[in-house]
């Protein structure tokens, strides 16, 4: 950490450094607007999926396809990463840089675990179940919705990794804090979307 | 904000905030896990009554989302009216899309 920022990590940073500056507060507010837009975007994909989920074109149905064990594992990994992300923000509020970086690191690792499971799942569907993107309206809408969520997870992993690098370079300041806070909000939002996906796509798909 | 007696280390700051302890987040996490387990168990048990299972799943999902939004995204904290407005607005349009797609395609 550069000496210019030592002061900030020893008591002169405010309690919630992410909200200490006007720019920081605007960044957070703007991000909520973005999440409103993201909700609409995922809403359209859910709408498409729900409208087409029984159009299997003689390909595999949701009931035949889904493996509850893998979905449960992915869900628990993502839920846990939401908790570690909250711990990162709490460490930030206590101005504990090392803890903050450690919790962000664990969040990234859990995100990678989730993504690995999803890639494995998709590969299995395509190769073993002959369930490709163009198999049926169900498969297209499934891959678009779930894949789009996976792409968000990937983006979150890259984003948080870059923020960790920035923390090493610049330390915890009123400039870096809003970025960390916003990335944590994003990560929780990804988890919220996953709650809808495992309920609507996987569990309701299994029920019929 | 509730007073957290376990947190006493140099914690009262200029807005009168105290640092939150990890406890309530751990409780929220355990609650989420339990909700998830109930949802998966309802499907695993299966077949008794589909409508009943679907209702259980939807209730679990709604509770789970409220935990995420309220506790982990800090929406229950004060000063979150505009964020709630943005997100509820987004959810409203999203829900309208779902109703639209289902009704236009299949009715």
């Amino acid at each position: 950490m550069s000496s210019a920022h030592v002061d900030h990590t020893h008591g002169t940073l405010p309690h919630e450094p992410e909200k200490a500056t006007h720019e920081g507060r605007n960044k957070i507010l703007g991000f909520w607007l973005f999440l409103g837009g993201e909700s609409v975007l995922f809403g359209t994909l859910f709408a498409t999926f729900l409208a087409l989920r029984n159009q299997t074109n003689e390909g595999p149905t949701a009931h035949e396809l889904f493996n509850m064990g893998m979905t449960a594992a992915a869900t628990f990994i993502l839920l846990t990463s939401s908790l570690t992300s909250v711990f990162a923000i709490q460490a930030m509020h206590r101005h504990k840089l090392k803890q903050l970086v450690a919790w962000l690191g664990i969040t990234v690792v859990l995100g990678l675990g989730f993504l690995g499971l999803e890639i494995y799942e998709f590969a299995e569907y395509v190769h073993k179940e002959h369930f490709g993107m163009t198999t049926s309206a169900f498969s297209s809408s499934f891959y678009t919705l779930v894949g789009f969520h996976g792409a968000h997870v990937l983006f979150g992993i890259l984003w948080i990794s870059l923020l960790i690098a920035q923390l090493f370079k610049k330390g915890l300041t009123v400039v870096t804090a809003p970025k960390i806070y916003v990335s944590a909000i994003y990560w929780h939002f990804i988890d919220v979307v996953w709650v809808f996906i495992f309920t609507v796509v996987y569990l309701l798909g299994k029920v019929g | 904000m509730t007073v957290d007696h376990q947190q006493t280390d140099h914690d009262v700051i200029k807005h009168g905030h105290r640092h939150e302890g990890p406890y309530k987040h751990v409780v929220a996490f355990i609650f989420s896990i339990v909700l998830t387990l109930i949802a998966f168990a309802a499907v695993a048990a299966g077949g008794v009554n589909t409508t009943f299972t679907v209702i259980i799943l939807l209730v679990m999902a709604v509770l789970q989302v409220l935990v995420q939004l309220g506790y982990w995204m800090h929406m229950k904290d004060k000063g979150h009216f505009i964020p709630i407005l943005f997100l509820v607005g987004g959810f409203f349009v999203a829900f309208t899309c779902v109703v639209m797609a289902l009704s236009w395609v299949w009715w």
Side-chain angles (χ1 to χ4, degrees):
Chain A
M1 198 192 336
S2 73
S3 59
H5 298 121
V6 166
D7 275 355
H8 288 310
T9 54
H10 288 87
T12 58
L13 261 188
H15 163 57
E16 293 181 329
E18 75 276 8
K19 288 170 188 157
T21 64
H22 196 63
E23 189 184 330
R25 290 192 295 274
N26 279 345
K27 200 171 270 181
I28 293 166
L29 191 62
F31 198 78
W32 282 107
L33 183 59
F34 166 73
L35 289 185
E38 286 271 275
S39 308
V40 174
L41 192 143
F42 274 106
T44 59
L45 295 176
F46 272 106
T48 312
F49 176 82
L50 283 167
L52 300 174
R53 72 190 185 114
N54 293 322
Q55 311 308 302
T56 52
N57 193 26
E58 295 176 10
T61 65
H63 187 77
E64 294 160 1
L65 202 59
F66 296 146
N67 172 351
M68 284 301 103
M70 202 143 59
T71 309
T75 304
F76 289 124
I77 289 175
L78 209 60
L79 269 179
T80 310
S81 80
S82 234
L83 181 71
T84 60
S85 172
V86 160
F87 285 164
I89 294 303
Q90 292 198 317
M92 182 176 87
H93 284 164
R94 292 196 169 79
H95 309 158
K96 300 239 166 88
L97 183 63
K98 274 184 192 161
Q99 281 183 21
L100 166 58
V101 168
W103 285 121
L104 288 179
I106 295 171
T107 307
V108 166
V109 169
L110 290 170
L112 282 171
F114 175 87
L115 206 58
L117 267 184
E118 185 154 285
I119 291 168
Y120 175 80
E121 180 194 349
F122 282 11
E124 206 167 50
Y125 289 168
V126 171
H127 296 301
K128 286 198 186 150
E129 313 283 347
H130 304 289
F131 184 72
M133 183 75 182
T134 55
T135 302
S136 60
F138 165 56
S139 79
S140 305
S141 59
F142 167 81
Y143 282 122
T144 308
L145 171 60
V146 182
F148 210 74
H149 174 269
H152 275 74
V153 173
L154 177 62
F155 180 82
I157 288 169
L158 296 174
W159 184 11
I160 297 173
S161 302
L162 283 174
L163 287 179
I164 291 173
Q166 210 169 43
L167 279 175
F168 278 123
K169 203 176 163 204
K170 302 184 175 179
L172 180 60
T173 70
V174 291
V175 178
T176 50
K179 303 181 188 186
I180 309 287
Y181 186 84
V182 152
S183 75
I185 295 286
Y186 174 83
W187 197 258
H188 296 310
F189 182 77
I190 296 305
D191 203 353
V192 168
V193 175
W194 180 253
V195 169
F196 283 110
I197 290 182
F198 88 68
T199 304
V200 170
V201 176
Y202 289 93
L203 294 181
L204 288 182
K206 207 67 179 174
V207 171
Chain B
M1 173 165 193
T2 55
V3 178
D4 189 339
H5 293 291
Q6 277 109 334
Q7 295 299 312
T8 51
D9 43 340
H10 68 279
D11 279 351
V12 183
I13 7 271
K14 62 173 183 182
H15 304 297
H17 281 300
R18 285 164 180 270
H19 284 299
E20 295 176 329
Y23 313 101
K24 86 177 180 191
H25 290 302
V26 172
V27 170
F29 175 69
I30 293 169
F31 191 53
S32 296
I33 294 286
V34 170
L35 292 175
T36 309
L37 286 175
I38 292 172
F40 276 92
V43 174
V48 185
N49 185 336
T50 308
T51 316
F52 185 60
T53 312
V54 170
I55 291 169
I56 289 180
L57 291 181
L58 294 180
V59 170
M60 294 305 129
V62 168
L63 288 177
Q64 176 101 269
V65 165
L66 289 179
V67 170
Q68 290 272 343
L69 293 176
Y71 285 88
W72 292 357
M73 293 168 84
H74 313 282
M75 283 182 114
K76 69 168 189 52
D77 297 354
K78 62 180 178 188
H80 275 74
F81 176 70
I82 304 272
I84 289 170
L85 194 68
F86 285 164
L87 213 59
V88 168
F91 278 22
F92 176 73
V93 178
F95 183 72
T96 312
C97 285
V98 171
V99 173
M100 177 278 292
L102 289 177
S103 58
W104 278 1
V105 174
W106 300 118
W107 281 349

